[in-house]
Amino acid sequence: MKMFKSLMTTTALLLAGAGSALASEADLKIPKLNSVSFESLGGMKGDTLMYIGLAVCVLGGLFGLVQYIQTKNLPVHKSMATVSNTIWETCKTYLFNQGKFLAILWLLIGTCMVYYFGVLEKKPVNHIAVILAASVLGILGSYGVAWFGIRINTVSNSRTAFSALKGNPLATLGIPLRSGMSVGLLLVCVELFFMICILIFLPTELVGPCFIGFAIGESLGASVLRICGGIFTKIADIGSDLMKIVFKLPEDDPKNPGVIADCTGDNAGDSVGPTADGFETYGVTGVALIAFLSLALATQQEVCATLIVWIFVMRILMIVTSLVSYLVNEVISKAMFGGKKDFDFEAPLTHLVWLTSAVSIGVTFLASKILLGGFVFNGTALPNLWWVLSMIISCGTVAGALIPEFTKVFVSTNSRHVKEVTNCSKHGGASLNILSGFVAGNFSAFWMGLVIMLLMFGAWQFSTHADLMAIMPKQFLFAAPIFAFGLVAFGFLGMGPVTIAVDSYGPVTDNAQSVYELSQIESSPGITAELKKDFGFDPDFENAKYQLEKGDGAGNTFKATAKPVLIGTAVVGATTMVFGIIMLLQNLFDAQVVSGIAGPFKEVVGALSVVQPEIILGIVMGGSVIYWFTGASCQAVVTGAYRAVVYIKQNMKLDATTASDKDSKEVVAICTKYAQKGMWNIFIVVFCFALGLPFFSPYFFIGYLIGIAFFGLFQAIFMANAGGAWDNAKKIVEVDMREKGTELHAATVVGDTVGDPFKDTSSVAMNPVIKFTTLFGLLAVEIAVTMTNQSHKNMIGGFFFIVALLFVYRSFYGMRIPEEG
């Protein structure tokens, strides 16, 4: 805490030398939406469409809440309900701790925002308060939807476990999918509701700054919840899994003190993290597009307002298309699988993804035709603009369905790669298991990169169409592909609620397995007669366990499919966010030319050439940070897991029926402690680099942003899919081969423990880290360029660079496992 106070004080003192800022991305001029109307809708004005959007958000949010109530009212045995309530109570404790941690970190961000908007922008106190409130709203949005997600998941887990006893696999599959859909709908509705309110209710001069504040807040919330959750869950998971080898325990044995922590971690890492991450992703992508339009079309307010309305209508329709697709898929699934006792659990989820993609693309073209079909610019009709923009968005929407398919090739239990991992484990043990997983992860990064590249290439080609180029000011013709890439990122999210739904399916099915074992329902005296009397069915215990394990395998697969979609939006969308920095630097260069005074700024297109040393050095620096981040996050898992394993081994009571509450709570405390220690080191490094590097050179910083985006993309895909392959190789041994407790199983458990921090800690956290760095970097660059004395700037940059290096050092040497005497 002393170091934290010192860092805040020094930050404020060293930044005090800056002058006044130029108008920029943090000072966007958003046009009035009531200035445009749409003849195809009877002359309806833009702001009226936004009010309709608010109503849709409220209805979508209510649907999510109704789904929660319906899920809670599903039948469940008291033994299972007790276990899920215990998990919820530990999750609540975790969330409260994370809330306090977020509040501390916000003080650092808030200090910088007050300095920027108050000292540099010279905004009045009441405006600064509103901007800070917007950042808090962003944090609370991420935190609030994460809270809802973890609550409904801890209700669904016991209902799913109980439903499996009835022997109806489709009904059992439907419960976690329903809870996931409620999370996805509520997430998108809340985020969109907040953004529309900022857009139409705040004064024009506050809309731009509040959007930036809101985006920074939700990005901070997502970063903390993603990284901390990822570290927490894998400490618990590894600690619990290794006991299966050390003591030859079965899966989720109640006497294992690590199981409750593992169940809590399933929610902290696989529910809280993705939910907050999804909330931030939808918000930041929208802010990036609005910022681009407001900057590029600053002199064409009517065009800007029309396109902003069009983007928000697309986002509103996302809610409708996802809900309709979900309901239609329910009917299709009942027709195909309703009477079957066994089927491929991945099939209904796959159908849902493709159905939603097709419906979203169709609605995109229809709505664009209605809104933009008669578009006229400067007296000239642009009859093709609507389908050009629709095609660009559809490149992203297709990616939202294609990327999961390519992911399944490497992580599904039906995948040849995963079967190869299992086969290697038979003959080469844990060693070949791990090497084979590395192969799958590396191959997946190649193919996924190729898919993303081809879809971006398609978007670029459409962006060169004459109708789109016609609305771009001449000085920004080079930026048309940037706009297209932003729309591709937006299209990635065109089926947002469904993407989150299939992702949230995983932690519920994982927890359901654990709830079943922890409830010890099979050994309860007279349980068969009790279930027949109270619930009207004869339980099938063996089939229930089999179906729950199958559901967990499908959950592993679809948790993996959402990760590259989210990381893809970070990379593709980052190009749009960087446009704000490019605009700022170009304006400063133009001001030099007009004044005739030589200055430090260069003509931007030339300065961004790959032969410029600043760009090359920045890219190298960005790549370096990605590899440090991978190591730091894994180190926190390793050290925490070591502590958990030592504690569990010392306190395991093999003659007991269940672990004591005291021991279980202590394992949870260990996980929380090391999650926050690891996050503290990571956040300070990311914060200091984002704040300090622009002082050396803004062009160097642009290279840095490009470096972390593209190195991060491939590192994340490799790690996520390698981890998914290891995880489902273990699932094949457990479900298909039914060889738990064997040497083969032990080998796959070891591989899974390697994959745990790969897929659920390091890889998934790169998305919010990239976005936070880019967003916060916007303010940092503007602070840096207002100073004219390069020596002073080098001192400031050097200070933050040294602080970052100290925490880089701490992230390893301060987290090491102590040597035993």
Side-chain angles (χ1 to χ4, degrees), residues 670-749:
I670 291 170
C671 297
T672 304
K673 174 184 177 182
Y674 284 93
Q676 293 192 342
K677 285 183 70 173
M679 178 63 207
W680 181 249
N681 291 327
I682 290 168
F683 178 80
I684 295 299
V685 174
V686 171
F687 171 82
C688 286
F689 278 144
L691 184 58
L693 296 183
F695 283 93
F696 294 121
S697 165
Y699 307 101
F700 169 73
F701 187 65
I702 290 174
Y704 173 74
L705 295 179
I706 294 170
I708 65 167
F710 288 100
F711 276 89
L713 170 68
F714 289 101
Q715 180 78 334
I717 292 174
F718 154 68
M719 297 185 78
N721 290 339
W726 283 315
D727 197 353
N728 268 347
K730 182 188 75 170
K731 194 56 61 179
I732 287 175
V733 173
E734 294 174 344
V735 179
D736 298 340
M737 303 174 70
R738 304 197 180 200
E739 291 194 28
K740 288 184 178 180
T742 64
E743 290 299 316
L744 172 60
H745 187 227
T748 58
V749 168

Side-chain angles (χ1 to χ4, degrees), residues 30-61:
I30 309 294
K32 289 289 186 181
L33 301 188
N34 59 7
S35 63
V36 294
S37 58
F38 300 89
E39 296 305 320
S40 56
L41 296 175
M44 186 178 294
K45 292 189 176 296
D47 58 345
T48 304
L49 286 171
M50 295 302 98
Y51 287 117
I52 294 173
L54 289 178
V56 172
C57 291
V58 170
L59 292 174

Side-chain angles (χ1 to χ4, degrees), residues 441-456:
N442 281 297
F443 276 2
S444 73
F446 168 78
W447 288 109
M448 211 81 72
L450 201 61
V451 169
I452 294 173
M453 183 202 72
L454 289 174
L455 291 168
M456 290 178 69

Side-chain angles (χ1 to χ4, degrees), residues 222-239:
S223 298
V224 171
L225 294 172
R226 222 0 164 171
I227 297 171
C228 273
I231 296 172
F232 182 108
T233 183
K234 294 305 110 180
I235 292 174
D237 200 352
I238 293 171

Side-chain angles (χ1 to χ4, degrees), residues 686 690 701 704-705 708 768-778:
V686 171
F701 187 65
Y704 173 74
L705 295 179
I708 65 167
V769 165
I770 291 169
K771 287 185 177 160
F772 175 80
T773 300
T774 308
L775 276 167
F776 190 68
L778 294 173

Side-chain angles (χ1 to χ4, degrees), residues 302-379:
E302 186 175 343
V303 177
C304 181
T306 301
L307 292 179
I308 288 176
V309 171
W310 169 72
I311 286 172
F312 271 89
V313 169
M314 293 296 105
R315 304 184 82 201
I316 293 162
L317 291 173
M318 175 199 309
I319 299 168
V320 179
T321 56
S322 295
L323 179 55
V324 169
S325 300
Y326 168 72
L327 296 174
V328 172
N329 189 66
E330 268 197 333
V331 175
I332 295 172
S333 297
K334 285 178 182 177
M336 294 181 66
F337 309 113
K340 295 185 178 181
K341 291 296 183 183
D342 197 15
F343 58 87
D344 182 2
F345 274 28
E346 292 183 12
L349 302 176
T350 300
H351 298 162
L352 176 59
V353 170
W354 278 103
L355 177 63
T356 308
S357 179
V359 172
S360 296
I361 290 173
V363 169
T364 295
F365 276 85
L366 178 62
S368 297
K369 174 65 174 174
I370 293 172
L371 293 177
L372 304 176
F375 194 86
V376 177
F377 177 63
N378 286 342

Side-chain angles (χ1 to χ4, degrees), residues 384-624:
N384 299 312
L385 183 64
W386 70 272
W387 69 260
V388 170
L389 293 175
S390 298
M391 288 298 296
I392 294 172
I393 283 187
S394 297
C395 288
T397 308
V398 168
L402 270 182
I403 287 176
E405 287 302 312
F406 274 82
T407 303
K408 286 194 290 184
V409 169
F410 299 95
V411 305
S412 169
T413 51
N414 302 316
S415 159
R416 286 184 295 172
H417 285 277
V418 175
K419 290 176 180 177
E420 174 72 1
V421 175
T422 306
N423 192 45
C424 286
S425 308
K426 289 180 184 178
H427 307 290
S431 177
L432 291 188
N433 170 286
I434 293 168
L435 289 174
S436 185
F438 269 89
V439 171
N442 281 297
F443 276 2
S444 73
F446 168 78
W447 288 109
M448 211 81 72
L450 201 61
V451 169
I452 294 173
M453 183 202 72
L454 289 174
L455 291 168
M456 290 178 69
F457 173 79
W460 167 41
Q461 294 305 302
F462 286 116
S463 74
T464 62
H465 192 282
D467 282 16
L468 180 55
M469 300 297 283
I471 65 173
M472 289 287 171
K474 290 183 179 178
Q475 68 271 33
F476 297 132
L477 290 178
F478 74 91
I482 296 177
F483 180 46
F485 294 157
L487 289 178
V488 170
F490 179 73
F492 268 47
L493 310 174
M495 38 196 277
V498 166
T499 301
I500 297 298
V502 296
D503 189 20
S504 295
Y505 171 91
V508 176
T509 55
D510 198 349
N511 256 200
Q513 262 193 301
S514 303
V515 168
Y516 184 94
E517 297 295 343
L518 290 170
S519 70
Q520 301 181 77
I521 192 169
E522 290 184 48
S523 58
S524 179
I527 187 61
T528 300
E530 180 187 343
L531 293 177
K532 180 67 174 178
K533 175 185 175 184
D534 295 343
F535 298 99
F537 69 90
D538 293 312
D540 185 345
F541 296 111
E542 284 305 312
N543 183 62
K545 289 187 284 189
Y546 172 72
Q547 296 297 343
L548 288 174
E549 287 175 334
K550 280 192 66 177
D552 188 27
N556 289 339
T557 300
F558 277 87
K559 280 190 295 185
T561 63
K563 292 165 186 173
V565 172
L566 293 177
I567 187 65
T569 64
V571 176
V572 180
T575 58
T576 309
M577 288 188 277
V578 171
F579 180 72
I581 299 175
I582 295 172
M583 283 282 298
L584 173 69
L585 298 176
Q586 184 64 52
N587 288 339
L588 291 168
F589 172 76
D590 292 341
Q592 286 177 184
V593 173
V594 171
S595 66
I597 300 173
F601 302 105
K602 309 171 187 176
E603 199 280 323
V604 173
V605 175
L608 296 181
S609 167
V610 292
V611 300
Q612 293 293 329
E614 294 105 317
I615 298 298
I616 295 174
L617 294 174
I619 291 173
V620 173
M621 181 69 196
S624 302

